[in-house]
Amino acid sequence: MTILVTGAAGFVGFHLTKRLLDEGHSVIGFDNLNAYYEVELKQARLAVLRQQHQFQFVQGDVSDFDAVAALFSSNVFSEVIHLAAQAGVRYSLQNPQVYVQSNIMGFTQILEAARKAQVKHLIYASSSSVYGANTTMPFQVQHPTNHQVSLYGATKKANELFAHAYSHIYGLPVTGLRFFTVYGPWGRPDMAYFSFTRDILAGKTIQVFNHGQMRRDFTYVDDIVSAMVRLIPLAPQPNTSWDRANPDPSTSYAPYKVYNIGNHEPVPLLEFIKTLEELLGKKARIEFLPMQAGDVEATYADVADLARDVGFAPYTPIREGLRHFVDWYKSYYQV
């Protein structure tokens, strides 16, 4: 059997696919290679993956019905890991239609194809952004997530709702993963740690929002991947003790589950920048700005459910993770 990874040329998709290949799995990667950020970086990731014979790449868009139908008609997938999506909170403010097309239409295509193919387990990427206006920390998967503050977060919340509906109607086993600020080598250039590194080294000013009074639960990509790999064989089962009078949003009477994947250790943004400065050996020039629309002051993941079910929780300290990223960045860009 073969595992499908959508978004395989993306940041998390690349790392997950590489881990699966290293463990001997056959993987088909599906990605549209869009130009949201430099396509050359995506091609470089694919070049690494193509070094292993059990990897096959198919270029296509998850929102393209014919492309997805052809993908599933030509292959038998034991599991599907859906990571393809339009990322970025701030970009969604200017381009909401792109998010609806990719994150909602695209996810619906994958759900429909997976249920027709009777896939054993569909895992999909949600986001910490679904917690929206919540301020109770740490964020728990049992908390309600009804008040979205970004269009990106709204599409990820919609994904969770569609996933539950498919699980309820068709019995499709689905697991949603709420990622918390993933970082590491081969990362996304639109993410703060990446753009900060680029600009600090170039002597350019970095923009820091909310005057630096922010905290993020930065989560190293290898930790994310380790948790995902452990979850793949654990298709959710119906929770027979689920109480309709007191519904737990993280589980269901249907084969449906949601997990947080975060480091459970939020880092103040100014401390994060200081660590990056030390690793780069160069001070940052900072422009402090007000909070941007769609942003939140803090994220903080409760990962008790993940630790209980797979015996693992992310743990890489921020300095260690950033050091790995800086080493990769300097090597890749020949700084």
Side-chain angles (χ1 to χ4, degrees):
M1 290 294 207
T2 300
I3 298 173
L4 170 65
V5 178
T6 72
F11 172 35
V12 178
F14 161 74
H15 282 278
L16 174 65
T17 300
K18 189 174 185 303
R19 176 76 64 86
L20 292 172
L21 293 170
D22 288 344
E23 294 186 359
H25 297 283
S26 294
V27 179
I28 291 183
F30 189 72
D31 200 297
N32 67 359
L33 300 179
N34 69 26
Y36 172 63
Y37 60 81
E38 56 189 77
V39 177
E40 294 81 5
L41 179 57
K42 299 177 182 182
Q43 293 284 13
R45 294 174 185 142
L46 287 176
V48 174
L49 298 177
R50 286 187 169 117
Q51 293 174 11
Q52 302 204 42
H53 72 275
Q54 67 270 35
F55 175 71
Q56 179 184 345
F57 178 68
V58 178
Q59 185 169 349
D61 196 303
V62 291
S63 64
D64 183 335
F65 174 83
D66 292 335
V68 173
L71 179 68
F72 276 80
S73 65
S74 303
N75 301 278
V76 177
F77 300 117
S78 52
E79 291 89 15
V80 172
I81 299 140
H82 177 60
L83 303 176
Q86 178 58 58
V89 169
R90 290 168 189 157
Y91 187 65
S92 70
L93 303 178
Q94 287 79 41
N95 299 276
Q97 295 89 348
V98 174
Y99 287 75
V100 173
Q101 182 74 14
S102 179
N103 298 5
I104 297 179
M105 291 295 295
F107 186 50
T108 305
Q109 303 284 24
I110 294 296
L111 282 168
E112 183 67 5
R115 74 97 176 170
K116 288 180 178 178
Q118 297 183 319
V119 166
K120 294 178 182 178
H121 191 190
L122 169 62
I123 297 175
Y124 66 95
S126 185
S127 168
S128 62
S129 294
V130 302
Y131 287 104
N134 291 18
T135 58
T136 301
M137 301 284 178
F139 293 148
Q140 297 179 358
V141 287
Q142 292 78 19
H143 290 167
T145 55
N146 297 322
H147 297 86
Q148 299 304 309
V149 299
S150 72
L151 300 174
Y152 170 71
T155 64
K156 289 300 186 178
K157 173 67 174 180
N159 285 175
E160 294 183 2
L161 298 175
F162 272 92
H164 186 270
Y166 265 80
S167 184
H168 161 73
I169 297 168
Y170 304 111
L172 178 67
V174 288
T175 299
L177 306 177
R178 293 174 178 169
F179 294 153
F180 281 69
T181 315
V182 189
Y183 74 102
W186 296 96
R188 278 179 24 218
D190 64 312
M191 296 288 286
Y193 70 94
F194 201 116
S195 62
F196 285 175
T197 297
R198 179 183 62 231
D199 292 343
I200 291 171
L201 288 173
K204 296 181 179 179
T205 299
I206 64 173
Q207 294 183 331
V208 176
F209 296 99
N210 200 36
H211 304 284
Q213 301 308 302
M214 303 174 81
R215 293 184 302 144
R216 288 291 181 269
D217 203 343
F218 294 100
T219 312
Y220 190 59
V221 66
D222 284 358
D223 291 346
I224 292 276
V225 168
S226 293
M228 293 176 72
V229 168
R230 294 189 184 206
L231 283 167
I232 289 172
L234 299 180
Q237 301 297 316
N239 181 358
T240 56
S241 61
W242 194 80
D243 185 355
R244 290 175 183 263
N246 298 285
D248 175 357
S250 72
T251 184
S252 175
Y253 54 85
Y256 169 92
K257 193 77 176 72
V258 173
Y259 292 99
N260 285 336
I261 301 189
N263 209 50
H264 191 62
E265 191 173 340
V267 177
L269 182 56
L270 294 180
E271 178 184 322
F272 171 85
I273 293 171
K274 180 181 178 182
T275 302
L276 192 55
E277 289 174 328
E278 292 170 355
L279 292 168
L280 294 171
K282 192 170 183 179
K283 292 289 290 182
R285 296 166 57 187
I286 301 175
E287 178 186 8
F288 290 104
L289 296 170
M291 178 75 87
Q292 275 214 327
D295 235 336
V296 296
E297 289 189 10
T299 62
Y300 180 9
D302 182 297
V303 291
D305 285 11
L306 181 71
R308 179 197 65 216
D309 291 351
V310 302
F312 173 84
Y315 64 89
T316 301
I318 190 69
R319 177 174 288 273
E320 179 183 341
L322 277 178
R323 178 171 53 80
H324 291 315
F325 168 73
V326 167
D327 289 346
W328 168 83
Y329 185 95
K330 289 182 174 179
S331 173
Y332 181 80
Y333 288 103
Q334 299 182 356
V335 177

